[in-house]
Tab-separated table of all heavy atoms in Angstrom:
chain	number	residue	atom	x	y	z
A	1	ILE	N	-8.033	57.773	70.702
A	1	ILE	CA	-6.869	57.449	69.954
A	1	ILE	C	-6.397	58.509	68.975
A	1	ILE	O	-5.210	58.694	68.980
A	1	ILE	CB	-7.118	56.115	69.134
A	1	ILE	CG1	-7.261	54.920	70.122
A	1	ILE	CG2	-5.966	55.794	68.254
A	1	ILE	CD1	-7.680	53.615	69.523
A	2	ASP	N	-7.340	58.971	68.263
A	2	ASP	CA	-7.020	60.090	67.279
A	2	ASP	C	-6.466	61.385	67.959
A	2	ASP	O	-5.545	62.114	67.311
A	2	ASP	CB	-8.190	60.343	66.293
A	2	ASP	CG	-8.608	59.288	65.481
A	2	ASP	OD1	-7.817	58.315	65.160
A	2	ASP	OD2	-9.903	59.244	65.087
A	3	SER	N	-6.960	61.605	69.101
A	3	SER	CA	-6.500	62.814	69.826
A	3	SER	C	-5.272	62.551	70.716
A	3	SER	O	-4.751	63.540	71.383
A	3	SER	CB	-7.638	63.386	70.743
A	3	SER	OG	-8.029	62.531	71.722
A	4	GLY	N	-4.831	61.326	70.886
A	4	GLY	CA	-3.692	60.906	71.605
A	4	GLY	C	-3.868	60.822	73.042
A	4	GLY	O	-2.872	60.758	73.836
A	5	ARG	N	-5.198	60.684	73.525
A	5	ARG	CA	-5.488	60.627	74.939
A	5	ARG	C	-5.618	59.042	75.395
A	5	ARG	O	-5.664	58.695	76.531
A	5	ARG	CB	-6.733	61.371	75.177
A	5	ARG	CG	-6.590	62.814	75.092
A	5	ARG	CD	-7.846	63.591	75.429
A	5	ARG	NE	-8.867	63.352	74.352
A	5	ARG	CZ	-10.053	62.671	74.458
A	5	ARG	NH1	-10.166	61.991	75.425
A	5	ARG	NH2	-10.716	62.716	73.476
A	6	TYR	N	-5.641	58.194	74.438
A	6	TYR	CA	-5.858	56.789	74.721
A	6	TYR	C	-4.522	56.145	75.026
A	6	TYR	O	-3.402	56.401	74.505
A	6	TYR	CB	-6.500	56.054	73.543
A	6	TYR	CG	-6.638	54.554	73.765
A	6	TYR	CD1	-7.764	53.950	74.472
A	6	TYR	CD2	-5.586	53.713	73.314
A	6	TYR	CE1	-7.836	52.609	74.659
A	6	TYR	CE2	-5.804	52.422	73.461
A	6	TYR	CZ	-6.890	51.841	74.182
A	6	TYR	OH	-6.899	50.532	74.383
A	7	TYR	N	-4.618	55.151	76.095
A	7	TYR	CA	-3.575	54.178	76.307
A	7	TYR	C	-4.021	52.997	76.848
A	7	TYR	O	-5.251	53.000	77.538
A	7	TYR	CB	-2.524	54.887	77.373
A	7	TYR	CG	-3.043	55.191	78.768
A	7	TYR	CD1	-3.066	54.149	79.705
A	7	TYR	CD2	-3.690	56.374	79.044
A	7	TYR	CE1	-3.491	54.608	80.906
A	7	TYR	CE2	-4.109	56.696	80.172
A	7	TYR	CZ	-4.110	55.743	81.113
A	7	TYR	OH	-4.584	56.113	82.459
A	8	THR	N	-3.586	51.776	76.607
A	8	THR	CA	-4.025	50.530	76.895
A	8	THR	C	-4.193	50.330	78.439
A	8	THR	O	-3.261	50.769	79.210
A	8	THR	CB	-3.139	49.427	76.405
A	8	THR	OG1	-3.037	49.552	74.907
A	8	THR	CG2	-3.709	48.072	76.684
A	9	GLY	N	-5.318	49.866	78.843
A	9	GLY	CA	-5.594	49.655	80.353
A	9	GLY	C	-6.218	50.862	80.839
A	9	GLY	O	-6.602	50.793	82.080
A	10	SER	N	-6.627	51.867	80.089
A	10	SER	CA	-7.332	53.042	80.633
A	10	SER	C	-8.837	52.775	80.822
A	10	SER	O	-9.306	51.767	80.511
A	10	SER	CB	-6.955	54.269	79.720
A	10	SER	OG	-7.511	53.919	78.454
A	11	TRP	N	-9.494	53.824	81.333
A	11	TRP	CA	-10.835	53.751	81.465
A	11	TRP	C	-11.636	53.456	80.104
A	11	TRP	O	-12.821	53.013	80.149
A	11	TRP	CB	-11.519	55.021	82.116
A	11	TRP	CG	-11.059	55.064	83.604
A	11	TRP	CD1	-10.022	55.911	84.119
A	11	TRP	CD2	-11.661	54.272	84.648
A	11	TRP	NE1	-9.917	55.667	85.472
A	11	TRP	CE2	-10.918	54.713	85.894
A	11	TRP	CE3	-12.546	53.346	84.761
A	11	TRP	CZ2	-11.260	54.189	87.153
A	11	TRP	CZ3	-12.970	52.818	86.014
A	11	TRP	CH2	-12.353	53.259	87.152
A	12	TYR	N	-11.007	53.895	78.968
A	12	TYR	CA	-11.653	53.714	77.739
A	12	TYR	C	-11.875	52.269	77.327
A	12	TYR	O	-12.701	51.854	76.611
A	12	TYR	CB	-10.783	54.423	76.578
A	12	TYR	CG	-10.670	55.869	76.646
A	12	TYR	CD1	-9.465	56.421	77.091
A	12	TYR	CD2	-11.781	56.665	76.397
A	12	TYR	CE1	-9.307	57.796	77.242
A	12	TYR	CE2	-11.750	58.077	76.421
A	12	TYR	CZ	-10.433	58.598	76.878
A	12	TYR	OH	-10.417	60.009	77.068
A	13	ASP	N	-11.052	51.357	77.936
A	13	ASP	CA	-11.116	49.949	77.651
A	13	ASP	C	-12.243	49.134	78.531
A	13	ASP	O	-12.677	48.142	78.014
A	13	ASP	CB	-9.793	49.223	77.997
A	13	ASP	CG	-8.779	49.572	76.894
A	13	ASP	OD1	-9.137	49.918	75.817
A	13	ASP	OD2	-7.569	49.544	77.241
A	14	LEU	N	-12.539	49.789	79.594
A	14	LEU	CA	-13.547	48.968	80.527
A	14	LEU	C	-14.871	48.727	79.857
A	14	LEU	O	-15.397	47.685	80.026
A	14	LEU	CB	-13.667	49.712	81.883
A	14	LEU	CG	-12.296	49.808	82.595
A	14	LEU	CD1	-12.580	50.517	84.024
A	14	LEU	CD2	-11.698	48.513	82.852
A	15	PRO	N	-15.440	49.671	79.121
A	15	PRO	CA	-16.797	49.401	78.601
A	15	PRO	C	-16.577	48.324	77.507
A	15	PRO	O	-17.529	47.550	77.356
A	15	PRO	CB	-17.221	50.794	77.982
A	15	PRO	CG	-16.525	51.806	78.808
A	15	PRO	CD	-15.248	51.242	79.118
A	16	ILE	N	-15.513	48.383	76.802
A	16	ILE	CA	-15.326	47.223	75.645
A	16	ILE	C	-15.257	45.854	76.427
A	16	ILE	O	-15.789	44.847	75.984
A	16	ILE	CB	-14.043	47.591	74.905
A	16	ILE	CG1	-14.270	48.972	74.263
A	16	ILE	CG2	-13.787	46.514	73.995
A	16	ILE	CD1	-13.072	49.419	73.352
A	17	TYR	N	-14.435	45.835	77.573
A	17	TYR	CA	-14.311	44.556	78.218
A	17	TYR	C	-15.598	44.099	78.886
A	17	TYR	O	-15.960	42.989	78.899
A	17	TYR	CB	-13.237	44.766	79.461
A	17	TYR	CG	-11.988	45.162	79.158
A	17	TYR	CD1	-11.059	45.578	80.010
A	17	TYR	CD2	-11.453	44.853	77.871
A	17	TYR	CE1	-9.663	45.794	79.718
A	17	TYR	CE2	-10.080	45.142	77.523
A	17	TYR	CZ	-9.197	45.602	78.439
A	17	TYR	OH	-7.981	45.861	78.210
A	18	ALA	N	-16.529	45.137	79.283
A	18	ALA	CA	-17.811	44.803	79.778
A	18	ALA	C	-18.726	44.220	78.637
A	18	ALA	O	-19.462	43.275	78.869
A	18	ALA	CB	-18.384	46.029	80.408
A	19	ALA	N	-18.618	44.851	77.492
A	19	ALA	CA	-19.399	44.206	76.314
A	19	ALA	C	-19.044	42.871	75.996
A	19	ALA	O	-19.913	41.987	75.712
A	19	ALA	CB	-19.294	45.192	75.120
A	20	ILE	N	-17.700	42.528	76.042
A	20	ILE	CA	-17.184	41.230	75.639
A	20	ILE	C	-17.783	40.318	76.802
A	20	ILE	O	-18.058	39.020	76.590
A	20	ILE	CB	-15.751	41.009	75.573
A	20	ILE	CG1	-15.243	42.119	74.496
A	20	ILE	CG2	-15.232	39.817	75.436
A	20	ILE	CD1	-13.683	42.312	74.406
A	21	THR	N	-17.694	40.674	78.073
A	21	THR	CA	-18.192	39.849	79.193
A	21	THR	C	-19.602	39.528	79.015
A	21	THR	O	-19.960	38.300	79.300
A	21	THR	CB	-17.853	40.643	80.505
A	21	THR	OG1	-16.475	40.925	80.641
A	21	THR	CG2	-18.368	39.814	81.638
A	22	VAL	N	-20.371	40.531	78.584
A	22	VAL	CA	-21.882	40.186	78.371
A	22	VAL	C	-22.094	39.188	77.284
A	22	VAL	O	-22.922	38.344	77.428
A	22	VAL	CB	-22.524	41.584	77.926
A	22	VAL	CG1	-24.021	41.233	77.584
A	22	VAL	CG2	-22.594	42.559	79.184
A	23	LEU	N	-21.241	39.212	76.177
A	23	LEU	CA	-21.362	38.257	75.100
A	23	LEU	C	-21.038	36.791	75.724
A	23	LEU	O	-21.827	35.884	75.412
A	23	LEU	CB	-20.401	38.509	74.011
A	23	LEU	CG	-20.523	39.751	73.202
A	23	LEU	CD1	-19.435	39.969	72.170
A	23	LEU	CD2	-22.034	39.845	72.544
A	24	VAL	N	-20.001	36.676	76.578
A	24	VAL	CA	-19.764	35.277	77.066
A	24	VAL	C	-20.856	34.945	78.027
A	24	VAL	O	-21.298	33.765	78.099
A	24	VAL	CB	-18.359	35.405	77.814
A	24	VAL	CG1	-18.157	33.981	78.513
A	24	VAL	CG2	-17.230	35.631	76.883
A	25	TRP	N	-21.347	35.940	78.901
A	25	TRP	CA	-22.390	35.616	79.813
A	25	TRP	C	-23.619	35.132	79.110
A	25	TRP	O	-24.384	34.108	79.691
A	25	TRP	CB	-22.783	36.827	80.609
A	25	TRP	CG	-23.591	36.623	81.794
A	25	TRP	CD1	-25.006	36.834	81.878
A	25	TRP	CD2	-23.270	36.157	83.051
A	25	TRP	NE1	-25.462	36.482	83.116
A	25	TRP	CE2	-24.482	36.193	83.826
A	25	TRP	CE3	-22.092	35.839	83.649
A	25	TRP	CZ2	-24.498	35.606	85.217
A	25	TRP	CZ3	-21.985	35.466	85.078
A	25	TRP	CH2	-23.202	35.342	85.741
A	26	ILE	N	-24.066	35.638	77.987
A	26	ILE	CA	-25.329	35.225	77.364
A	26	ILE	C	-25.095	34.051	76.399
A	26	ILE	O	-26.133	33.362	76.191
A	26	ILE	CB	-25.850	36.424	76.635
A	26	ILE	CG1	-25.019	36.744	75.472
A	26	ILE	CG2	-26.286	37.568	77.520
A	26	ILE	CD1	-25.652	37.876	74.610
A	27	ALA	N	-23.836	33.838	75.982
A	27	ALA	CA	-23.544	32.828	75.019
A	27	ALA	C	-23.296	31.413	75.717
A	27	ALA	O	-23.646	30.321	75.152
A	27	ALA	CB	-22.430	33.152	74.059
A	28	ALA	N	-22.777	31.378	76.856
A	28	ALA	CA	-22.456	30.154	77.635
A	28	ALA	C	-23.640	29.227	77.678
A	28	ALA	O	-23.571	28.154	77.399
A	28	ALA	CB	-21.798	30.512	78.895
A	29	PRO	N	-24.761	29.715	78.204
A	29	PRO	CA	-26.023	28.911	78.347
A	29	PRO	C	-26.870	28.869	77.134
A	29	PRO	O	-27.960	28.352	77.144
A	29	PRO	CB	-26.772	29.529	79.500
A	29	PRO	CG	-26.467	30.983	79.299
A	29	PRO	CD	-25.124	31.074	78.833
A	30	ALA	N	-26.479	29.490	76.008
A	30	ALA	CA	-27.333	29.508	74.811
A	30	ALA	C	-27.100	28.264	73.789
A	30	ALA	O	-27.619	28.348	72.746
A	30	ALA	CB	-27.100	30.776	74.029
A	31	ALA	N	-26.321	27.254	74.228
A	31	ALA	CA	-25.994	26.230	73.243
A	31	ALA	C	-27.247	25.406	73.046
A	31	ALA	O	-27.326	24.686	71.955
A	31	ALA	CB	-24.924	25.313	73.882
A	32	ARG	N	-28.277	25.414	73.777
A	32	ARG	CA	-29.509	24.761	73.682
A	32	ARG	C	-30.624	25.437	72.770
A	32	ARG	O	-31.644	24.985	72.649
A	32	ARG	CB	-30.123	24.378	75.056
A	32	ARG	CG	-29.123	23.584	75.895
A	32	ARG	CD	-29.834	23.299	77.202
A	32	ARG	NE	-30.177	24.512	78.054
A	32	ARG	CZ	-29.258	25.076	78.923
A	32	ARG	NH1	-28.294	24.507	79.057
A	32	ARG	NH2	-29.753	26.124	79.465
A	33	LEU	N	-30.228	26.666	72.316
A	33	LEU	CA	-31.203	27.241	71.428
A	33	LEU	C	-31.447	26.491	70.073
A	33	LEU	O	-30.530	26.058	69.477
A	33	LEU	CB	-30.667	28.730	71.092
A	33	LEU	CG	-30.667	29.743	72.200
A	33	LEU	CD1	-30.032	31.009	71.794
A	33	LEU	CD2	-31.988	30.017	72.737
A	34	GLU	N	-32.747	26.516	69.791
A	34	GLU	CA	-33.247	25.767	68.652
A	34	GLU	C	-34.131	26.651	67.793
A	34	GLU	O	-34.740	27.530	68.383
A	34	GLU	CB	-33.650	24.334	68.953
A	34	GLU	CG	-32.788	23.321	69.566
A	34	GLU	CD	-33.418	22.014	69.858
A	34	GLU	OE1	-34.693	21.924	69.572
A	34	GLU	OE2	-32.629	21.123	70.363
A	35	PRO	N	-34.274	26.394	66.554
A	35	PRO	CA	-35.302	27.186	65.823
A	35	PRO	C	-36.685	26.989	66.394
A	35	PRO	O	-36.970	25.930	66.913
A	35	PRO	CB	-35.272	26.565	64.335
A	35	PRO	CG	-33.909	25.973	64.238
A	35	PRO	CD	-33.481	25.406	65.600
A	36	GLN	N	-37.521	28.119	66.374
A	36	GLN	CA	-38.897	28.010	66.937
A	36	GLN	C	-39.627	27.076	66.190
A	36	GLN	O	-39.587	26.856	65.020
A	36	GLN	CB	-39.377	29.369	66.890
A	36	GLN	CG	-38.686	30.497	67.581
A	36	GLN	CD	-39.158	31.938	67.243
A	36	GLN	OE1	-40.188	32.039	66.563
A	36	GLN	NE2	-38.487	32.930	67.786
A	37	ARG	N	-40.612	26.441	66.978
A	37	ARG	CA	-41.511	25.472	66.304
A	37	ARG	C	-42.548	26.119	65.430
A	37	ARG	O	-42.975	27.287	65.794
A	37	ARG	CB	-42.189	24.607	67.344
A	37	ARG	CG	-41.400	23.724	68.341
A	37	ARG	CD	-42.161	22.955	69.224
A	37	ARG	NE	-41.228	22.022	69.958
A	37	ARG	CZ	-41.786	21.166	70.899
A	37	ARG	NH1	-43.033	21.074	71.215
A	37	ARG	NH2	-40.906	20.469	71.476
A	38	ALA	N	-42.810	25.519	64.331
A	38	ALA	CA	-43.843	26.053	63.447
A	38	ALA	C	-44.692	25.072	62.843
A	38	ALA	O	-44.395	23.883	62.901
A	38	ALA	CB	-43.018	26.874	62.369
A	39	SER	N	-45.812	25.531	62.335
A	39	SER	CA	-46.709	24.569	61.641
A	39	SER	C	-46.178	24.136	60.253
A	39	SER	O	-45.314	24.683	59.711
A	39	SER	CB	-48.066	25.214	61.455
A	39	SER	OG	-47.952	26.313	60.665
A	40	GLU	N	-46.779	23.163	59.664
A	40	GLU	CA	-46.308	22.762	58.335
A	40	GLU	C	-46.526	23.848	57.319
A	40	GLU	O	-45.770	23.931	56.331
A	40	GLU	CB	-47.091	21.375	57.860
A	40	GLU	CG	-46.736	20.795	56.708
A	40	GLU	CD	-45.264	20.077	56.811
A	40	GLU	OE1	-44.776	19.834	57.875
A	40	GLU	OE2	-44.552	19.964	55.744
A	41	ARG	N	-47.552	24.595	57.533
A	41	ARG	CA	-47.887	25.633	56.524
A	41	ARG	C	-46.691	26.734	56.606
A	41	ARG	O	-46.278	27.220	55.535
A	41	ARG	CB	-49.195	26.323	56.905
A	41	ARG	CG	-49.565	27.378	56.056
A	41	ARG	CD	-50.822	27.998	56.332
A	41	ARG	NE	-51.208	29.237	55.459
A	41	ARG	CZ	-52.286	29.892	55.700
A	41	ARG	NH1	-53.198	29.550	56.671
A	41	ARG	NH2	-52.548	30.796	54.811
């Protein structure tokens, strides 16, 4: 962006889209996560 080579929809966006996709992929089945069990101590 600072050098003027960026434009929306270019290859620069694909890794960002991939990171967002990973977030959805791991968060969708994670609603059942609960704190780990621990002793009273």
Side-chain angles (χ1 to χ4, degrees):
I1 291 175
D2 294 336
S3 61
R5 293 179 287 109
Y6 172 85
Y7 60 90
T8 302
S10 63
W11 290 102
Y12 295 106
D13 288 335
L14 296 183
I16 298 178
Y17 296 165
I20 301 173
T21 302
V22 172
L23 292 181
V24 176
W25 186 266
I26 65 178
R32 298 182 297 272
L33 289 176
E34 297 179 355
Q36 301 169 2
R37 294 183 178 180
S39 62
E40 187 66 24
R41 180 179 179 182

